Amino acid sequence: MTTPPDLTQLSPDQLRHLAATLMTQVEEKEKALRHSEQVNQKLTYEMALLKRHAFGKRSEQLNVLQISLLEEGVDADIAAIETELEELHLTADTPVARKTPKRTPLPPELPRTEIHHDPENDHCRCGCQLRRIGEEISEKLDYTPGVFHVERHIRGKWVCDQCETLTQAPMPTQIIDKGIPTAGLLAQVLIAKYADHLPLYRQEQIFARAGVAIPRSTLAEWVGTCGVRLQPLIDALREVLLNEPVLHADETPVPMLAPGKKKTHRAYLWAYATTPYAGLKAVIYDFSEGRGG
């Protein structure tokens, strides 16, 4: 058993170093704890759904179509949780186990638009002329109603023969890092699902008729990730709405299956909206497990 150090014998610098080390260890343990809690919530939620499907009363059992819609929501929630876990910057001791499905190549018959990304200056910092030695190409799938087309992002590689410096323009920021959908395609999926009430399985069929097979599970992952990416916008909109002098509010009771319990209890989905006479037309939704303030 290690004997604790005598703090009275340590210099001020040693005490500061010891305090910094302890704070780092505490932060790492807090991150690991948050990771474990997120994973536990996800697994508990999935287990409760599976138990209800398998052992629920006949009146509570779902048909194939209802299960399909529920699975879409589960896949989106799981993708959102995994995205949040990645943003926690976990330590190497607690890596995130994220599935990496094999991506099907985009159909070659789709029309393609080439977008070139080259350095703003064709001279190196040392003053010499840059020479192009190659390029990297990444394809993004875009969609306008009824028609797919592919954006080919071509990033040239330029090298300075004098100082052997490699220069390459950065890839534009994407909503889903290293993913194939453009912002336009993601907007189409979200608007069709939430504004037009078009389930993902129907969108899968529509996209297949347009020439691209996008699995429903992939669409659900896109929806979940977009939910996380849009959260700062939702928070900003909530702050603006709360500054309005008058708001309309409405509640909708929803049954909630709490983890570890065999029955549901009443939860609430609240809607807050500006009045018809307000300059800002906006609505936000807030889920609450009860009516407590």
Side-chain angles (χ1 to χ4, degrees):
M1 184 175 183
T2 305
T3 303
D6 186 0
L7 300 182
T8 60
Q9 302 297 323
L10 299 180
S11 65
D13 290 338
Q14 290 175 324
L15 288 174
R16 282 192 291 268
H17 177 71
L18 178 60
T21 302
L22 293 176
M23 289 298 296
T24 301
Q25 293 176 353
V26 170
E27 291 177 356
E28 291 178 352
K29 291 185 180 297
E30 288 179 350
K31 290 181 179 179
L33 179 60
R34 287 199 299 270
H35 169 262
S36 299
E37 290 176 348
Q38 290 274 14
V39 173
N40 183 57
Q41 291 177 5
K42 182 183 74 171
L43 296 177
T44 303
Y45 179 55
E46 294 176 5
M47 183 62 68
L49 290 175
L50 292 174
K51 285 183 177 180
R52 183 177 179 184
H53 292 168
F55 307 112
K57 297 179 181 179
R58 183 175 300 274
S59 60
E60 295 181 349
Q61 291 179 346
L62 308 178
N63 59 37
V64 175
L65 179 57
Q66 290 173 320
I67 292 177
S68 174
L69 296 176
L70 186 59
E71 287 176 348
E72 293 178 2
V74 173
D75 290 340
D77 291 341
I78 292 175
I81 292 174
E82 290 177 344
T83 302
E84 291 178 341
L85 289 177
E86 289 180 353
E87 294 178 353
L88 287 177
H89 302 293
L90 300 176
T91 60
D93 296 335
T94 55
V96 178
R98 187 176 179 88
K99 55 185 179 182
T100 55
K102 186 178 180 180
R103 181 178 298 167
T104 304
L106 297 176
E109 65 273 10
L110 293 180
R112 279 163 165 74
T113 302
E114 293 189 353
I115 303 175
H116 292 266
H117 306 279
D118 289 322
E120 297 180 357
N121 192 349
D122 59 355
H123 284 77
C124 183
R125 294 179 181 178
C126 68
C128 297
Q129 179 76 29
L130 294 175
R131 178 171 57 86
R132 188 183 182 97
I133 61 171
E135 61 189 19
E136 288 184 358
I137 300 177
S138 59
E139 293 190 337
K140 304 292 180 181
L141 185 63
D142 198 10
Y143 180 81
T144 54
V147 179
F148 278 108
H149 67 271
V150 178
E151 290 183 354
R152 303 187 76 235
H153 292 261
I154 303 174
R155 301 165 59 215
K157 295 182 179 180
W158 300 78
V159 68
C160 175
D161 293 330
Q162 183 67 25
C163 62
E164 298 183 351
T165 299
L166 180 65
T167 302
Q168 190 175 31
M171 184 68 182
T173 304
Q174 304 292 323
I175 297 178
I176 300 181
D177 189 29
K178 298 181 181 179
I180 65 169
T182 64
L185 177 56
L186 294 174
Q188 168 66 29
V189 173
L190 293 179
I191 292 174
K193 177 175 174 61
Y194 294 108
D196 301 332
H197 307 289
L198 195 62
L200 295 182
Y201 78 91
R202 290 186 179 174
Q203 295 192 52
E204 179 184 15
Q205 296 170 354
I206 294 173
F207 292 156
R209 290 197 300 268
V212 179
I214 305 178
R216 182 177 48 194
S217 58
T218 299
L219 295 175
E221 290 179 4
W222 292 355
V223 170
T225 303
C226 286
V228 176
R229 298 287 186 259
L230 290 172
Q231 189 61 46
L233 180 61
I234 298 172
D235 295 338
L237 181 60
R238 179 182 288 108
E239 293 297 325
V240 173
L241 279 179
L242 292 180
N243 290 326
E244 289 289 319
V246 180
L247 282 179
H248 291 311
D250 182 61
E251 68 171 13
T252 301
V254 293
M256 175 181 174
L257 180 63
K261 298 182 179 180
K262 297 182 179 180
K263 60 181 180 179
T264 62
H265 72 274
R266 176 172 290 188
Y268 299 91
L269 182 64
W270 292 85
Y272 303 95
T274 55
T275 68
Y277 308 102
L280 174 67
K281 307 299 181 184
V283 181
I284 60 172
Y285 298 91
D286 188 22
F287 177 79
S288 175
E289 295 186 11
R291 283 180 169 173

